Amino acid sequence: MSKLASRHLLGLEGVSADDISLILDTTHTFREVLDRPIKKLPTLRGLTVLNLFYEPSTRTRISFELAEKRLSADTVSFTTATSSVKKGESLRDTVQNIEAMKIDMIVVRHSSAGTPYYLTQCSDANVINAGDGSHEHPTQALLDMYTIRKKYGKLAGLRVVLVGDVKHSRVIRSNIWGLKALGASVALCGPSTLLPAEVERYGCDIYTSLDEALDGADVVNIMRLQLERQQAGLFPSQREYTNLFGITRERLKRLNKNYTIMHPGPMNRGVEISSEVADGDSSVILDQVTNGQAVRMAVLYLLSGPEAEGPQA
Amino acid sequence: MSNAPFDMIISGGRVIDPALGFGKDAHVLIKDGRIAGIENDIQKLGDSTGATVIDASGMLVVPGLIDVHVHLREPGREDEETVESGCRAAAAGGFTAVCCMPNTTPRIDNQETVLFVQDRAKNADARVYVVGAITKGSEGKELSEIGDLVKVGAVAITDDGRWVENSEIMRRAMEYSKMFNIPVMDHAEESTLCAGGIMNESFESTRLGLRGRPAVAEEIAVMRDIALCRTTGARLHIQHLSTRRAVDVVRAAKAEGIRVTTEACPHHFVLTDEAIAKEFNTCLRVNPPLRTANDREAIIEGLIDGTIDCIASDHAPHAEEEKDCEFDLAPAGMIGLETTLGLVKTYLIDKGYLTWADAIAKMTINPARVFGLPGGTLKTGSPADITIIDPDAPWTVDKKRFRSMSHNSPFIGWKLQGQVFRTILGGRVVFAREE
């Protein structure tokens, strides 16, 4: 029996506040483990985790791999560049072949939205979404939420602004569901061409003026601008984007005191965020990376079933 | 040889023929593959020795249904459907005639391919009317030899699956088609607005992170083609109408007297884009996409007020392995021949939107008139193409019972009302419900 309502983590939409809180509380325990001299636990000993990365990823893939190894899981990693996918094998066949080698959990990154759900139909393993197209990236949102909660001791009542390419960002989508479930006030800000259809139905405040969005905010989470969006004609130039939506020290004056700057990485310095802000005292960008590992350890642990030993072991 | 005056008698059913304008309890008489008469009084039948009698008590007896939008996949994708298997599916769905779309491999843009399909259809369980391509290879660049296509029996032209982007080419296609008095069927989606789109553009596409195909793309395409239709005086038939604004545009055009007709598909009046949800069922990926509840209501309103003339399935078979994949990699389309009637009964008739007569008209005489097809009526002398419907029979859509070679239906497991009891093609029973 899973400790969470679902035996998979496919996204944060529909996940209850209780389950999210449980993940964040468990993260806290694992976060402390990461500060120990020996950062290894026997928690997932005997379990095998498949890291299925159909899309390039550095930090998420390494973060999951390290989290798995630190919990003593056996891991196997898969990237499309060196796999039979290049020979035209379907995702179902690929996964079922690997599963035949007896795996317990799958961490999947894929450019197609919905792939993690599809995998639950192909496999008996527990599935964790490590990013699917523009749909969701739940562990990134959880680590963002954990980082905020660690600093403020709460999420409820905080005003969080998510800035950037709202249309294509899976990080933003997961953040919206998670933050709202725990009572934060969420604002979205970006060029109107990068705001998706009927975005107001999320129940967030929507801004196309960065200065207005930042007014009275506690946290600014800045998303990476994908430069191919300019080629697709969604904004006129990188220069104009930076002028309108780039976070600079000057703009931070509008935020509340004790504000926080976040970025899921990788950053385009000088485009969506100035180096001064990225490296400033209020930036928690590297903390996010460390916390990400603890969140992933917590999720792996909570989804791994009753046989796994707890973090205290 | 029997001396019986009739080959077959369908007795005791309620006969509905919108073309003749009646619905009455009567007996339908068949001789030599044609309708020999409809008699109210059993005494007037005379000698029926040797005739096959089908007891249709409690059933509806209607003209054989006609589906004007079907993909038979042959030639080229015989693993998905063949003319033969598609016609078997048609018969099982109560359809005695289908219009097959030209987006096969190779495309049906020349006489030989039309003749090939017709040859395949010779002994099939439904009549197959071939629709040719508007442009060579449906590439939108050069007109097909439309005269040649019509000469061997093509009943219409379309580049279905693609919109003819070039307005000049579409204008010439309409002008040219007038010489043959055939409709130009229009897959109306302005393509630049839809590029890369996977589903309807709405909050659902936002939520699922999938690129949208906006409703306005259909509206723009319909507006342009109606404008060209107005200019050329051609006959335009807009396929699978799916948005409220497009319905509004057609309604206004009809009021103006423009020669435009339309069709709607069951999935567009039954489902909405919300159905895709977190399951990302690839059978729900269709083109044009499932729209919003507001659009769905507009399609129903269009069916009620006659803006939408025909109900067509857009039967689009796909191999199981092609649909068993990530949502955005799946080809668009669902099968529909065998579920259309049940969906019409359950979601239009039982909900009180259409009477049986209205619904039957949209699947018989209206398509026959638009495409100039024989049938669509039980008038004496017409081909004995007849569908007998058990109007209240409950059934569950079962993948194992599909006659189609493909199973890509999102309705599998759905409980529907209204089932085909017998399908008769030219006086021959081509489908009988297993009891």
Side-chain angles (χ1 to χ4, degrees):
Chain A
M1 222 172 70
S2 170
K3 298 161 187 73
L4 297 170
S6 168
R7 56 186 289 262
H8 309 290
L9 180 66
L10 308 179
L12 290 191
E13 184 186 355
V15 177
S16 68
D18 284 352
D19 273 4
I20 293 174
S21 297
L22 174 61
I23 296 171
L24 299 184
D25 293 345
T26 312
T27 299
H28 197 62
T29 317
F30 284 113
R31 182 64 187 80
E32 286 170 2
V33 172
L34 293 177
D35 290 332
R36 294 180 193 170
I38 295 171
K39 303 166 183 63
K40 189 142 176 141
L41 297 169
T43 310
L44 298 189
R45 193 166 51 195
L47 295 182
T48 306
V49 184
L50 166 65
N51 296 302
L52 196 63
F53 278 71
Y54 269 66
E55 200 184 60
S57 161
T58 305
R59 69 198 65 211
T60 304
R61 183 171 55 81
I62 292 176
S63 180
F64 265 109
E65 282 182 6
L66 273 176
E68 292 150 13
K69 288 180 197 301
R70 289 187 161 147
L71 295 177
S72 303
D74 295 318
T75 68
V76 55
S77 290
F78 168 105
T79 53
T80 43
T82 55
S83 77
S84 49
V85 170
K86 288 273 177 205
K87 299 175 190 169
E89 189 175 54
S90 73
L91 180 57
R92 177 184 287 274
D93 282 339
T94 301
V95 168
Q96 288 184 338
N97 271 284
I98 299 173
E99 195 176 22
M101 300 177 210
K102 307 297 177 192
I103 54 150
D104 302 288
M105 305 180 88
I106 298 173
V107 175
V108 59
R109 159 71 64 94
H110 201 291
S111 57
S112 295
T115 299
Y117 178 86
Y118 176 64
L119 285 183
T120 67
Q121 310 298 298
C122 306
S123 159
D124 291 329
N126 305 84
V127 176
I128 298 171
N129 182 359
D132 61 329
S134 301
H135 180 218
E136 286 227 38
H137 192 353
T139 56
Q140 178 65 47
L142 287 164
L143 77 87
D144 291 343
M145 293 165 72
Y146 176 77
T147 306
I148 299 169
R149 199 180 80 162
K150 195 161 184 278
K151 176 167 174 179
Y152 297 98
K154 62 172 187 179
L155 284 158
L158 293 176
R159 180 172 156 78
V160 181
V161 184
L162 303 163
V163 181
D165 181 354
V166 181
K167 192 181 184 93
H168 301 97
S169 173
R170 52 193 171 207
V171 176
I172 285 182
R173 280 172 174 77
S174 288
N175 261 283
I176 292 170
W177 299 121
L179 288 166
K180 284 174 64 76
L182 290 201
S185 145
V186 181
L188 307 174
C189 178
S192 45
T193 46
L194 293 177
L195 294 173
E198 300 180 50
V199 66
E200 64 286 351
R201 285 181 57 188
Y202 276 120
C204 303
D205 299 324
I206 312 293
Y207 296 93
T208 51
S209 155
L210 182 59
D211 287 336
E212 283 175 27
L214 296 182
D215 246 349
D218 300 293
V219 178
V220 188
N221 199 348
I222 303 146
M223 302 297 144
R224 184 169 71 96
L225 182 70
Q226 290 179 293
L227 302 179
E228 65 263 29
R229 306 296 175 210
Q230 186 196 332
Q231 283 143 23
L234 291 167
F235 58 92
S237 70
Q238 195 175 298
R239 179 178 164 275
E240 180 153 306
Y241 182 87
T242 304
N243 285 341
L244 292 172
F245 298 98
I247 306 282
T248 57
R249 198 171 66 173
E250 185 60 26
R251 287 195 146 122
L252 300 180
K253 290 174 185 160
R254 294 178 167 267
L255 296 169
N256 286 342
K257 281 182 186 170
N258 197 27
Y259 64 82
T260 301
I261 300 296
M262 305 178 81
H263 194 303
M267 285 185 283
N268 293 312
R269 286 177 181 260
V271 179
E272 70 261 3
I273 185 169
S274 72
S275 277
E276 223 179 358
V277 174
D279 301 330
D281 292 341
S282 298
S283 165
V284 294
I285 293 170
L286 291 175
D287 295 333
Q288 286 174 268
V289 179
T290 312
N291 296 338
Q293 210 178 118
V295 158
R296 285 161 185 139
M297 290 167 81
V299 169
L300 286 160
Y301 162 65
L302 290 167
L303 294 179
S304 61
E307 65 276 12
E309 298 171 50
Q312 309 303 333
Chain B
M1 281 284 291
S2 159
N3 293 324
F6 312 115
D7 301 330
M8 186 183 284
I9 299 167
I10 301 167
S11 74
R14 180 153 188 85
V15 182
I16 300 176
D17 185 348
L20 297 175
F22 65 69
K24 61 183 180 186
D25 295 335
H27 314 283
V28 180
L29 318 177
I30 298 167
K31 186 164 176 61
D32 298 331
R34 297 195 168 268
I35 306 287
I38 298 173
E39 289 291 348
N40 296 354
D41 186 355
I42 196 100
Q43 302 302 324
K44 292 187 182 164
L45 289 185
D47 180 12
S48 58
T49 313
T52 304
V53 178
I54 296 177
D55 179 7
S57 308
M59 308 282 178
L60 305 179
V61 180
V62 307
L65 307 181
I66 300 170
D67 189 340
V68 297
H69 194 151
V70 167
H71 298 267
L72 294 176
R73 301 294 185 224
E74 191 176 9
R77 288 305 304 265
E78 294 82 358
D79 59 318
E80 295 182 330
E81 198 81 281
T82 61
V83 173
E84 188 188 346
S85 70
C87 289
R88 257 201 317 270
F95 292 97
T96 53
V98 298
C99 294
C100 68
M101 295 297 113
N103 55 342
T104 49
T105 315
R107 293 249 164 189
I108 305 177
D109 60 0
N110 57 72
Q111 277 195 345
E112 288 68 30
T113 328
V114 176
L115 292 167
F116 170 83
V117 174
Q118 288 171 338
D119 185 61
R120 293 285 167 166
K122 263 181 193 160
N123 298 311
D125 290 345
R127 297 180 201 279
V128 175
Y129 298 104
V130 181
V131 177
I134 297 174
T135 62
K136 289 176 186 161
S138 292
E139 286 176 357
K141 292 176 185 160
E142 249 183 294
L143 291 184
S144 302
E145 292 177 326
I146 297 165
D148 253 19
L149 294 169
V150 172
K151 194 173 174 186
V152 291
V155 295
I157 48 173
T158 180
D159 276 355
D160 185 36
R162 294 178 192 167
W163 187 57
V164 179
E165 247 181 275
N166 184 318
S167 303
E168 167 70 2
I169 297 278
M170 190 60 164
R171 174 196 172 162
R172 299 304 173 205
M174 286 195 195
E175 284 176 343
Y176 199 73
S177 70
K178 281 171 62 185
M179 289 196 293
F180 314 104
N181 193 28
I182 54 163
V184 178
M185 298 176 84
D186 189 20
H187 179 114
E189 273 191 309
E190 203 288 327
S191 29
T192 59
L193 285 167
C194 293
I198 310 296
M199 63 177 292
N200 183 43
E201 183 179 291
S202 67
F203 182 62
E204 292 305 305
S205 61
T206 292
R207 198 165 74 91
L208 300 176
L210 290 169
R211 185 153 179 188
R213 299 171 89 89
V216 70
E218 181 168 309
E219 186 188 348
I220 287 172
V222 168
M223 286 171 80
R224 184 203 73 172
D225 290 334
I226 283 178
L228 290 174
C229 186
R230 181 192 289 118
T231 300
T232 60
R235 290 169 56 201
L236 177 67
H237 177 82
I238 296 166
Q239 300 174 280
H240 40 47
L241 213 55
S242 72
T243 74
R244 174 171 286 282
R245 296 238 181 234
V247 175
D248 289 345
V249 172
V250 171
R251 187 176 287 121
K254 285 192 161 192
E256 201 189 314
I258 293 173
R259 298 171 80 193
V260 57
T261 54
T262 57
E263 69 192 33
C265 305
H267 46 272
H268 288 129
F269 59 74
V270 173
L271 297 166
T272 68
D273 56 2
E274 289 180 20
I276 295 168
K278 285 190 278 187
E279 285 79 16
F280 291 89
N281 179 352
T282 55
C283 288
L284 297 167
R285 184 167 178 200
V286 284
N287 189 16
L290 302 177
R291 303 289 188 183
T292 64
N294 183 30
D295 294 310
R296 189 176 69 94
E297 283 163 22
I299 298 300
I300 293 170
E301 287 162 21
L303 285 162
I304 294 169
D305 73 9
T307 303
I308 298 170
D309 306 86
C310 304
I311 293 171
S313 71
D314 193 2
H315 177 80
H318 286 293
E320 189 139 352
E321 63 273 16
E322 283 196 326
K323 281 284 195 180
D324 185 11
C325 65
E326 301 87 321
F327 190 84
D328 60 352
L329 302 182
M334 64 171 79
I335 56 168
L337 279 168
E338 292 167 85
T339 48
T340 292
L341 184 67
L343 292 167
V344 165
K345 167 65 165 60
T346 311
Y347 290 92
L348 294 178
I349 296 171
D350 286 353
K351 303 271 183 200
Y353 298 129
L354 295 185
T355 63
W356 267 112
D358 295 335
I360 295 302
K362 290 178 197 298
M363 294 193 284
T364 56
I365 190 60
N366 293 4
R369 281 179 184 152
V370 172
F371 293 87
L373 311 178
T377 175
L378 299 174
K379 191 176 166 190
T380 302
S382 305
D385 295 356
I386 300 167
T387 304
I388 307 178
I389 300 165
D390 193 347
D392 299 313
W395 63 291
T396 302
V397 182
D398 181 355
K399 181 176 170 177
K400 288 186 197 132
R401 293 173 83 103
F402 280 140
R403 262 76 167 176
S404 171
M405 283 171 65
S406 293
H407 300 148
N408 50 308
S409 168
F411 301 113
I412 290 168
W414 282 40
K415 292 185 191 314
L416 302 177
Q417 296 265 322
Q419 200 177 11
V420 179
F421 176 66
R422 295 283 187 278
T423 305
I424 297 163
L425 177 71
R428 174 170 67 100
V429 176
V430 286
F431 173 80
R433 185 177 74 186
E434 293 162 25
E435 296 302 329

